[in-house]
Amino acid sequence: MPPRAFPTSYRRLFAAPGAAAFTLAGLLGRLALSMTGVSLVVLLSERRGSYGLAGTVSAAGLVTGAIGMPLIGRLVDRYGQARVTVPATLYNAVPLTGLLLCVRFGAPDWTLYLCSAACAASPNLGGMARSRWAHLYRDDPAARHLANSFEQALDELCFMAGPVLAMLLCTTLAPEAGLITAGTLGTTGALLFAAQRRTEPPLPPAPAPGPGPGAAGPRHGSPLRVPGLRVLVLTFLATGMVFGATEITTVAYADALGHKAAAGALLGLVAAGSCLAGLLFGLLTPRRAPGVRFLTGAAAMAAVLLLPLAAGLGGAGLGVLGVVLFTAGTATAPTMVTGMTLVQELLPQRQFNEGMAMAVSGIVVGISAGAALAGTVAEHAAPGTGYALPASAAAVALLIALAGRRHLRAGGSSAPGPGAGAEATPGSGSGSGSAPAPGSVNFPAPSGACGAAAENSERAVSASV
């Protein structure tokens, strides 16, 4: 790949008017999200002296956030990004401020749970940014692939820098500094994002009422009615377990070697591997359908995550473990990028944000479950044994993808996707033959079709989904 291909391709992506503005604004909000968890744990462990309390209060926010995010996504699909993002962001700032005040004035523990659980209206800025890219490049599949790869790289960049920035603020200024900064950045970023109205996707027309192939179903029907989305959410849940289990196991392993402070750098290498892989993956011209690419990515993830398990069980040093974790990180980005592409192609535009929020919620729930399981293993097993959890979770993700393979084929074939029906909406992946939108940039369109499936084994596994 020529050295200049990298900056040139991404520069062409941002040729669309307003693309840089909503990307930078969304980046602030996503950076804040990656800071919140660490900031809350440090704050409560310092002010209340209990890691247990910190963990459970944080978990309460994760659970309600996983429930609230799809509901906010549904409102966004119905009323538009700006009309929902502004009030949701302003509301979310209230319980966050309340939590800080409860800690400051020594309020009972139940108030902390209440405030954390009430922070459930955070808009999914990453999903809304992907929705904007899908609208800007609705007639250009290659550009959407590049944009989804870039968004995944931004996610990884935030989760590299966010915890480090949070720890720096909490330890050098005050325990409250991390959460205050996260709240300020999150509110500012979300409001600036909502202000970028010229790139906001227009509301799609209501689906045709009544039965028949021309009807797209009820306006408020759940995207989970689409079998392909159920497959993706379950796969993302297992992938989230990979992330959560890897984080806790790596901290425990570094601690066992007497270098707990190095855990942050090791986890940064995982994110760096995924970030680099996401950027490079975006430069590749897709030759196969998204369903096939998703299955290939899940298989690669399952294979590569055997490396940390081998290193952990073999008692590898931090240097070897760092190389292995960086390598393991490179396998997750292509799976996530293609998965988000499939969400966009399997669903009609009127359910984009809700569907992507469900995918993110699956990841969040998986992270929580993986972290809890890994913590238990770390307390009762030898160092490194916990790496069996991410390896197993990746294998489960592969099995789920295999089981639902036939439901993912529509994402890249000429047939309409299950969520699209007769609704040829912008971003549904079916408009490649129409004229480009104003302000869009032409990229070479990908080609290729789904490979043949092993039908008998597929049916056997598919019964589980």
Side-chain angles (χ1 to χ4, degrees):
M1 182 182 299
R4 298 183 61 183
F6 186 93
T8 301
S9 295
Y10 284 99
R11 188 163 55 246
R12 292 175 64 194
L13 182 68
F14 283 93
F22 80 74
T23 298
L24 291 174
L27 183 62
L28 287 178
R30 291 149 81 175
L31 179 65
L33 179 64
S34 68
M35 295 173 60
T36 302
V38 173
S39 299
L40 182 58
V41 169
V42 174
L43 171 63
L44 294 183
S45 62
E46 287 291 326
R47 297 304 189 199
R48 293 296 176 96
S50 172
Y51 279 103
L53 176 65
T56 53
V57 169
S58 178
L62 286 174
V63 170
T64 57
I67 297 171
M69 194 177 293
L71 298 179
I72 295 295
R74 173 174 288 199
L75 293 175
V76 169
D77 288 326
R78 184 177 182 183
Y79 298 109
Q81 293 186 1
R83 289 182 65 188
V84 175
T85 298
V86 173
T89 300
L90 295 177
Y91 158 78
N92 228 45
V94 174
L96 183 62
T97 304
L99 191 148
L100 286 164
L101 292 175
C102 288
V103 174
R104 175 68 178 84
F105 294 105
D109 290 349
W110 65 266
T111 61
L112 305 180
Y113 290 104
L114 181 62
C115 291
S116 181
C119 295
S122 180
N124 179 20
L125 295 182
M128 288 193 286
R130 288 175 171 91
S131 180
R132 292 191 182 214
W133 289 119
H135 171 67
L136 287 173
Y137 294 112
R138 54 192 175 275
D139 303 314
D140 197 336
R144 292 200 304 272
H145 167 73
L146 187 68
N148 284 331
S149 300
F150 180 75
E151 287 296 320
Q152 183 62 33
L154 285 185
D155 285 342
E156 300 298 343
L157 179 64
C158 288
F159 281 93
M160 276 194 297
V164 175
L165 177 60
M167 287 295 296
L168 181 65
L169 291 169
C170 290
T171 54
T172 59
L173 297 179
E176 294 83 3
L179 204 56
I180 292 173
T181 303
T184 303
L185 289 178
T187 301
T188 303
L191 294 178
L192 288 176
F193 183 91
Q196 311 304 315
R197 300 300 296 269
R198 63 175 174 172
T199 52
E200 179 177 349
L203 291 176
R219 183 179 182 90
H220 302 300
S222 172
L224 288 176
R225 293 181 179 181
V226 178
L229 183 63
R230 295 199 296 268
V231 174
L232 290 171
V233 170
L234 289 173
T235 307
F236 282 153
L237 191 150
T239 305
M241 292 184 69
V242 170
F243 299 151
T246 299
E247 179 177 348
I248 299 300
T249 301
T250 300
V251 172
Y253 189 82
D255 191 19
L257 295 181
H259 298 283
K260 187 175 182 179
L266 292 173
L267 294 173
L269 287 172
V270 179
S274 185
C275 179
L276 179 61
L279 291 173
L280 295 177
F281 185 66
L283 300 180
L284 302 178
T285 301
R287 300 293 183 185
R288 296 183 178 182
V292 177
R293 300 202 308 269
F294 186 70
L295 187 62
T296 303
M301 186 170 65
V304 172
L305 279 165
L306 294 174
L307 296 177
L309 176 59
L313 295 179
L318 294 183
V320 173
L321 184 62
V323 173
V324 165
L325 289 175
F326 179 86
T327 305
T330 61
T332 59
T335 307
M336 300 295 294
V337 169
T338 309
M340 288 300 179
T341 300
L342 277 167
V343 172
Q344 295 172 7
E345 297 196 358
L346 288 170
L347 295 176
Q349 185 194 10
R350 61 188 172 83
Q351 292 184 317
F352 265 19
N353 291 284
E354 186 179 1
M356 283 187 281
M358 286 180 172
V360 174
S361 293
I363 297 171
V364 170
V365 172
I367 290 174
S368 302
L373 289 173
T376 302
V377 171
E379 290 181 357
H380 298 92
T385 307
Y387 284 118
L389 288 175
S392 300
V396 170
L398 175 59
L399 289 176
I400 294 171
L402 279 168
R405 181 174 180 174
R406 64 189 179 90
H407 298 305
L408 303 177
R409 291 178 184 172
S413 67
S414 58
E423 186 180 10
T425 56
S428 63
S430 58
S432 57
S434 57
S440 64
V441 181
N442 291 323
F443 288 73
S447 61
C450 291
E455 295 294 342
N456 291 334
S457 59
E458 182 180 307
R459 288 193 198 100
V461 186
S462 182
S464 65
V465 174

